[in-house]
Amino acid sequence: MTPPANWMNDPNGLIKIDDTFHLFYQHNPTANRWGNLHWGHASSTDLLRWDHHPIALAPDDHGQAFSGTVVADDTGSAGFGAGALVAVFTQDLDGFQRQSLASSTDGGMTWQMFSGNPVLDAPEGVHDFRDPKVLRYESEQGSWWVMVLAVGAEIWIYRSEDLRSWQQCSAFAVPTQGEGSILEVPELVRLPVEGTGESIWVLLVSIIPPGGARRLAGRTRWIAVDFDGERLTAHDADRGSTFDAGCDFYAPMVWDGGPCDPTICVGWMNEWGFVGPDRDTEWCGRMSMPRRLTLVRSRGQLRLRQPPVVDAPNDPAWRGATLMNSPDLRGLVDNRCFAIWVRCDLDDATGVVEIEFAPEDADAESKIIRIDAEGLRLGQDGECICAEQEEQDGSWIREVLVIVDAGSIEVFVDDGLGAASEICGLGFGATAVSLHLAGSASVAAASVFVPSPNGSFTEPAS
Ligand code: FRU
């Protein structure tokens, strides 16, 4: 999902209405760079093909429209009518941030700013006060609206009966990557633990590291928490884990599936200053492949699973071919979107598998994914994924699914137990894919998939 033109960053206000997923997003409709922030709007029934809609929110006297949430106000508690959609979002005026409301009574197609904005101002002297995640908390003690807000290096929790008047209940210091970090775009959601009837609250945060925003691996973290509608408590001494180990994944938000449907997450693939190949297109910024979120308990540890919603190896809408030609297994993909699936066996600590992507276009850059006993690394500076797993139970990575789409690369390990996403210089043309094995490594199966009917795949003459 990319905007029709110009700049995009965070996903905002994710909400499913009937069978349609609505995705609002940070959007500058007049330039290919950050600033002048509006909410763009798109919708989809399959999370792959998107319809674009008119802009939802525009800046006004209270400031630009920064990130936030959309909730369905079934009872009309906020005074905009029963069933109205209410957007709760940050407005930024010259670096001063406050929370505002807008309402829609036509399913999110048109929006009216609330005349009483802002509904929540920052306390004196507080600058970073943004990105409200609003949800309905239900318990035996009653139900109320909760706002989860990023305030500097802390998460503040507020509660409200009517979305207009908010009382602060608590502050939670997230164990981040060091002094001077700033948190952004908190997400709080209950996720099921696979194979049990249990579900656990999980807090997702995106982090500006000390020293300021820059392109860095693993800028998103998740942490299991207890939540009583007013207060967050971390499990044990849990410092949280990397959500996505790549350099270009940020601000993940979810369509909360509740107890019945899967919870699906999408993140912004880019960084404010780094635009990669998108500089040559009309648009700049893209969403990740949507992912289904669950938790897995293994050896007393909780792990997050996030397989992509596209299951290329098993989906009849994708056409597959085996990667062949020993001793190197290789093939040429003539499509800007394709998937690679590899089942490997490292056998012992000497095993190395490398997946190499070499674009035919001389101006494009090649890319190597390396899998060894330590885990999987995407490029030189990449954080290693699944390193923790190797330490814990001594099992090696078995399966790798790579989705390439117009210069973005998303890697999923062992059915989503690890993920890494990056924008890279692969370009939009044909790409030779080869597998190199070293040490004890062997490959049980390796395939390439292209979406039918357009994609094509050939084995190059050796
Ligand atoms: C995260 C972020 C948010 C803010 C928005 C502004 O990428 O900086 O904190 O609301 O983007 O575009």
Side-chain angles (χ1 to χ4, degrees):
M1 158 38 201
T2 68
N6 292 311
W7 172 267
M8 174 174 84
N9 57 295
D10 313 355
N12 294 149
L14 303 187
I15 187 161
K16 191 175 177 200
I17 304 172
D18 300 326
D19 288 335
T20 303
F21 295 90
H22 288 264
L23 188 160
F24 300 88
Y25 56 90
Q26 290 286 281
H27 181 42
N28 180 350
T30 52
N32 216 340
R33 67 189 128 73
W34 187 86
N36 181 31
L37 288 155
H38 292 58
W39 275 30
H41 182 195
S43 68
S44 171
T45 50
D46 64 2
L47 294 162
L48 299 176
R49 280 163 283 260
W50 293 88
D51 294 324
H52 292 287
H53 303 299
I55 281 175
L57 301 178
D60 66 9
D61 291 348
H62 297 297
Q64 313 184 62
F66 271 18
S67 288
T69 311
V70 169
V71 291
D73 184 11
D74 296 336
T75 62
S77 68
F80 304 120
L85 297 182
V86 182
V88 189
F89 62 102
T90 301
Q91 289 200 277
D92 175 278
L93 192 63
D94 303 328
F96 289 93
Q97 295 164 359
R98 67 291 297 271
Q99 319 318 322
S100 289
L101 305 182
S103 63
S104 168
T105 51
D106 61 0
M109 291 301 158
T110 59
W111 292 83
Q112 290 75 44
M113 286 287 189
F114 174 44
S115 56
N117 283 343
V119 294
L120 179 62
D121 244 319
E124 189 80 33
V126 174
H127 278 275
D128 296 302
F129 188 72
R130 58 179 175 268
D131 307 339
K133 163 68 191 195
V134 172
L135 55 102
R136 188 81 191 160
Y137 181 78
E138 318 258 359
S139 75
E140 282 164 11
Q141 286 71 48
S143 69
W144 55 87
W145 296 109
V146 170
M147 182 193 291
V148 184
L149 199 67
V151 185
E154 291 184 340
I155 299 297
W156 289 12
I157 305 290
Y158 290 81
R159 63 179 277 179
S160 170
E161 297 303 322
D162 59 5
L163 296 168
R164 296 183 182 198
S165 151
W166 293 94
Q167 285 81 45
Q168 193 193 344
C169 307
S170 61
F172 176 68
V174 177
T176 52
Q177 289 154 327
E179 288 283 304
S181 304
I182 292 175
L183 300 177
E184 298 191 300
V185 221
E187 172 63 281
L188 182 64
V189 63
R190 250 189 126 100
L191 294 180
V193 183
E194 286 179 23
T196 71
E198 198 190 351
S199 64
I200 288 180
W201 287 101
V202 168
L203 176 71
L204 314 182
V205 288
S206 296
I207 301 172
I208 297 185
R214 60 190 179 280
R215 193 162 179 258
L216 210 63
R219 292 177 290 139
T220 45
R221 291 183 81 71
W222 69 275
I223 180 164
V225 288
D226 289 325
F227 181 54
D228 64 1
E230 296 194 330
R231 205 166 303 277
L232 294 167
T233 324
H235 282 190
D236 307 325
D238 190 356
R239 293 182 54 77
S241 311
T242 299
F243 186 95
D244 181 294
C247 288
D248 300 303
F249 185 88
Y250 202 71
M253 296 297 289
V254 303
W255 286 277
D256 187 344
C260 302
D261 285 329
T263 290
I264 293 170
C265 166
V266 70
W268 166 48
M269 281 196 76
N270 225 323
E271 200 271 338
W272 301 271
F274 172 78
V275 294
D278 295 3
R279 79 173 76 85
D280 299 328
T281 62
E282 286 182 358
W283 43 267
C284 183
R286 35 174 108 197
M287 292 300 165
S288 70
M289 179 63 75
R291 303 149 185 212
R292 273 172 222 272
L293 299 188
T294 52
L295 295 170
V296 180
R297 205 188 291 283
S298 123
R299 301 185 179 227
Q301 300 274 340
L302 272 184
R303 300 185 66 191
L304 184 78
R305 194 199 290 280
Q306 48 178 317
V309 296
V310 155
D311 183 12
N314 299 305
D315 186 337
W318 290 63
R319 206 156 41 85
T322 305
L323 276 171
M324 282 297 282
N325 270 0
S326 276
D328 283 349
L329 309 162
R330 63 186 144 108
L332 185 75
V333 192
D334 188 9
N335 202 43
R336 63 195 243 173
C337 175
F338 59 92
I340 302 290
W341 180 79
V342 176
R343 193 177 159 81
C344 52
D345 194 344
L346 300 183
D347 204 28
D348 65 33
T350 65
V352 181
V353 176
E354 285 185 342
I355 310 174
E356 184 183 358
F357 299 85
E360 287 213 307
D361 175 356
D363 292 337
E365 290 160 24
S366 56
K367 186 88 192 162
I368 291 182
I369 296 173
R370 181 187 163 96
I371 307 147
D372 60 23
E374 277 181 25
L376 178 147
R377 215 176 279 279
L378 176 56
Q380 298 284 319
D381 337 313
E383 195 175 301
C384 209
I385 28 178
C386 285
E388 294 150 25
Q389 174 197 6
E390 316 308 336
E391 275 166 30
Q392 275 165 30
D393 55 23
S395 67
W396 316 120
I397 286 172
R398 309 297 301 206
E399 282 180 19
V400 181
L401 175 65
V402 185
I403 298 176
V404 174
D405 190 2
S408 66
I409 185 160
E410 290 173 83
V411 183
F412 299 90
V413 160
D414 292 342
D415 197 21
L417 284 175
S421 307
E422 278 188 22
I423 302 294
C424 59
L426 279 182
F428 294 3
T431 305
V433 182
S434 29
L435 252 70
H436 310 292
L437 314 180
S440 64
S442 60
V443 162
S447 307
V448 54
F449 297 88
V450 286
S452 341
N454 300 327
S456 77
F457 173 85
T458 46
E459 284 176 36
S462 41

